[in-house]
Amino acid sequence: MILVTGGAGFIGGNFVLDWLSDPSREGIVNLDKLTYAGNLDTLSSLADDPRHVFIQGDIADYALVLNLLKKHTIRAVINFAAESHVDRSIHGPSDFIQTNILGTFQLLEAIRAYWSELKSPDKEAFRFLHISTDEVYGSLGPSEAAFSELNAYEPNSPYSASKAASDHLVRAWHHTYGLPVITTNCSNNYGPYHFPEKLIPLCILNALAGKSLPIYGDGQQIRDWLYVKDHCFAIQQVLEAGRLGQTYNVGGWNEKPNLAVVQTICTILDELRPKDNGSYADQIIFIKDRPGHDRRYAIDATKIESELGWRPAETFESGIRKTIQWYLNNSEWVDGVVSGSYRDWLEKQY
Ligand code: NAD
Ligand code: TYD
C-alpha cells in the first residue's frame, strides 16, 4: 500500500479519489488529523472500498506513523498534510510551525526508522514524496523570469517560511541519511473540494449567496493557477519516474491577476446562473491588503515536462468552468464544510 498524509484535504482528497478510481492501483492508508480543513465528506464515495483505510491522526505522532508503515508494508509515502492558508498563518503562526516543521520532522524520522530496516529490493524501491509550494521562492517582479528549481528560497509569510523549512529538512534527510525523497513545488491549485477560505471557492460561494467578493489591495497580484487534477497527475508521474533527491516545479502556465480571476468567475456565473438584475461583478469590493502580500508567483515547469513528459491538460478557461459547475452541482458538500468554525473565521478575517 501507499501512505497518503492529509488525504482529507483539498489536494490530498483529490489525489486519493483519482488514484483509487483506477482498480489496478494498490490501496491507500490515509492519515489525516481532520483539522478544520479536513473533510471526510470528500471521501464518502470510498466508504465501501476496502482499498481505502482512513486513520485519524497526526503526522507528528512518531509511534503511530511507524506502526502504520510496518503494519501495511508501505512502499511509498506522499505527504500532503500541512497547515496551508497564508491568512491564517498571519493570524496565528503556531500551528504552522507545529505541523509543517515539527510534524514533517517526526514523519521523516518515523520513515527513516522503517526504511532503514527494509531489505533489498524494497529498500531501493521505497519513495517519500513531499508536496510543497512555489511560495517558498518569494515574490517576483513583473518582468522577472518564472521560478525554476534553481531559484533561491526567499519565503515571506509564516506559511511559506514553514513550508521552506520542511523542504530543507526533507533535502537534508536525503543528503545525510540517503532517504529516497523527491519534493514537488506547485503553484496555486483550484478545483473540486477546495475549502472556501481560498480565493476561488470563496468568490464562487459568496457570489451565489449575494455577498461581496473581497479583493485585497488593488487586485493586481498574480498567481499561476493549476487545475487540481493536473497536479494529482503530476504527482503520480513523479512517484513513478522522478529522480531521487530532485525537486520538480509544477505549474499551469496560467498567470492571472486576482481581479481577472474573480471577473472570469462572475462572467461564467452570469451565464450559468444569471441573476435577476445585473452581473455578479457588481458584488466585487476592494478591501485592505494582506500584510506582506507577495506580488507575483510564476512557475517554470520545463523540468517536469522534459524529464517526465508532464504538461497540464486544462487551460484556466476550461478548468475554472469545470470548477464552477462542480460547486453548482455539489451544494451538499458545501453545506457540510460551511460550519460554525468557518463562519467564525470569516468574521475574524473580513
Ligand atoms: P488543505 O489545508 O486543504 O488540507 C490539509 C490536510 O492536512 C487537511 O485534511 C488537514 O486535516 C490535514 N492535516 C493538517 N495538519 C495535519 C497533521 N498534523 N497531521 C495529519 N494531517 C494534518 O491543504 P491543500 O490545499 O490540500 O494542500 C496540500 C499540500 O499541498 C500542502 O502541503 C500545501 O502546502 C501544498 N500545496 C498547496 C497548494 C494549493 O494551492 N492549495 C499549492 C501548492 C502546494
Ligand atoms: P489564496 O487563495 O489565499 O492563495 P495564496 O495566498 O496561497 O496565493 O489567495 C490567492 C490570491 O488571492 C492571493 O493573492 C490573495 C488574494 N485574495 C483576495 O484578494 N481576497 C480573498 O478574500 C482571498 C482569500 C485571497
Side-chain angles (χ1 to χ4, degrees), residues 296-316:
R296 173 174 167 240
Y297 304 141
I299 280 276
D300 177 348
T302 306
K303 178 176 173 182
I304 189 169
E305 180 171 354
S306 57
E307 281 191 21
L308 306 179
W310 176 88
R311 254 193 92 82
E314 302 291 346
T315 62
F316 185 69

Side-chain angles (χ1 to χ4, degrees), residues 9-11 32-33 35 38 58-59 80 84 99 132 159 163 189:
F10 166 47
I11 307 174
D32 195 298
K33 191 176 172 182
T35 67
D58 194 324
I59 55 167
F80 294 96
S84 71
T99 283
S132 192
Y159 164 65
K163 290 296 291 187
N189 284 217

Side-chain angles (χ1 to χ4, degrees), residues 133-156:
T133 166
D134 60 355
E135 303 194 24
V136 297
Y137 298 120
S139 185
L140 288 169
S143 53
E144 269 183 283
F147 302 128
S148 88
E149 290 79 0
L150 300 175
N151 274 62
Y153 272 34
E154 292 177 353
N156 290 322

Side-chain angles (χ1 to χ4, degrees), residues 38-343:
N39 183 5
L40 285 179
D41 286 348
T42 301
L43 305 165
S44 59
S45 63
L46 301 174
D48 300 322
D49 190 337
R51 293 178 308 148
H52 182 238
V53 178
F54 183 81
I55 309 286
Q56 183 172 7
D58 194 324
I59 55 167
D61 187 340
Y62 174 95
L64 171 67
V65 175
L66 184 55
N67 181 40
L68 290 174
L69 291 165
K70 287 181 178 165
K71 182 172 168 196
H72 298 281
T73 48
I74 295 295
R75 69 130 178 132
V77 178
I78 308 178
N79 182 31
F80 294 96
E83 290 293 335
S84 71
H85 187 34
V86 174
D87 293 321
R88 283 187 194 253
S89 83
I90 294 168
H91 283 281
S94 172
D95 287 346
F96 290 73
I97 305 304
Q98 176 56 40
T99 283
N100 300 0
I101 306 179
L102 299 173
T104 303
F105 162 66
Q106 293 294 350
L107 180 67
L108 281 165
E109 281 295 81
I111 293 171
R112 182 164 76 89
Y114 169 72
W115 170 78
S116 60
E117 299 286 312
L118 288 178
K119 303 277 176 290
S120 188
D122 293 345
K123 190 165 186 173
E124 291 74 29
F126 187 85
R127 292 287 177 275
F128 173 62
L129 255 60
H130 181 60
I131 308 305
S132 192
T133 166
D134 60 355
E135 303 194 24
V136 297
Y137 298 120
S139 185
L140 288 169
S143 53
E144 269 183 283
F147 302 128
S148 88
E149 290 79 0
L150 300 175
N151 274 62
Y153 272 34
E154 292 177 353
N156 290 322
S157 72
Y159 164 65
S160 55
S162 67
K163 290 296 291 187
S166 71
D167 294 5
H168 290 324
L169 293 177
V170 171
R171 176 189 159 91
W173 261 239
H174 175 69
H175 279 266
T176 304
Y177 304 113
L179 202 70
V181 310
I182 308 176
T183 296
T184 55
N185 293 88
C186 189
S187 61
N188 285 60
N189 284 217
Y190 67 98
Y193 305 109
H194 204 181
F195 192 75
E197 64 185 354
K198 306 276 171 76
L199 179 69
I200 288 181
L202 180 91
C203 285
I204 297 171
L205 298 182
N206 276 14
L208 292 169
K211 296 183 186 161
S212 36
L213 311 179
I215 306 279
Y216 298 163
D218 63 2
Q220 293 310 312
Q221 303 82 4
I222 292 174
R223 299 292 183 264
D224 173 358
W225 293 97
L226 180 68
Y227 191 61
V228 65
K229 304 278 176 198
D230 279 326
H231 186 192
C232 293
F233 188 57
I235 294 166
Q236 289 182 22
Q237 302 272 99
V238 171
L239 180 62
E240 264 166 42
R243 286 187 292 135
L244 289 188
Q246 294 288 308
T247 65
Y248 293 91
N249 282 359
V250 186
W253 303 104
N254 266 319
E255 282 186 61
K256 305 269 179 212
N258 294 336
L259 183 57
V261 168
V262 176
Q263 283 166 336
T264 303
I265 293 170
C266 293
T267 306
I268 297 174
L269 279 175
D270 284 340
E271 178 199 324
L272 297 180
R273 190 63 67 85
K275 297 210 301 186
D276 292 340
N277 289 310
S279 161
Y280 289 99
D282 302 339
Q283 293 167 227
I284 292 175
I285 58 163
F286 292 87
I287 65 169
K288 193 158 91 45
D289 209 352
R290 172 189 279 171
H293 199 170
D294 284 338
R295 199 69 188 162
R296 173 174 167 240
Y297 304 141
I299 280 276
D300 177 348
T302 306
K303 178 176 173 182
I304 189 169
E305 180 171 354
S306 57
E307 281 191 21
L308 306 179
W310 176 88
R311 254 193 92 82
E314 302 291 346
T315 62
F316 185 69
E317 287 64 31
S318 65
I320 194 73
R321 189 170 276 275
K322 281 187 185 175
T323 303
I324 292 170
Q325 195 64 64
W326 187 88
Y327 278 91
L328 289 174
N329 294 344
N330 287 275
S331 49
E332 257 179 49
W333 183 88
V334 170
D335 293 344
V337 295
V338 181
S339 66
S341 66
Y342 174 67
R343 283 198 294 275

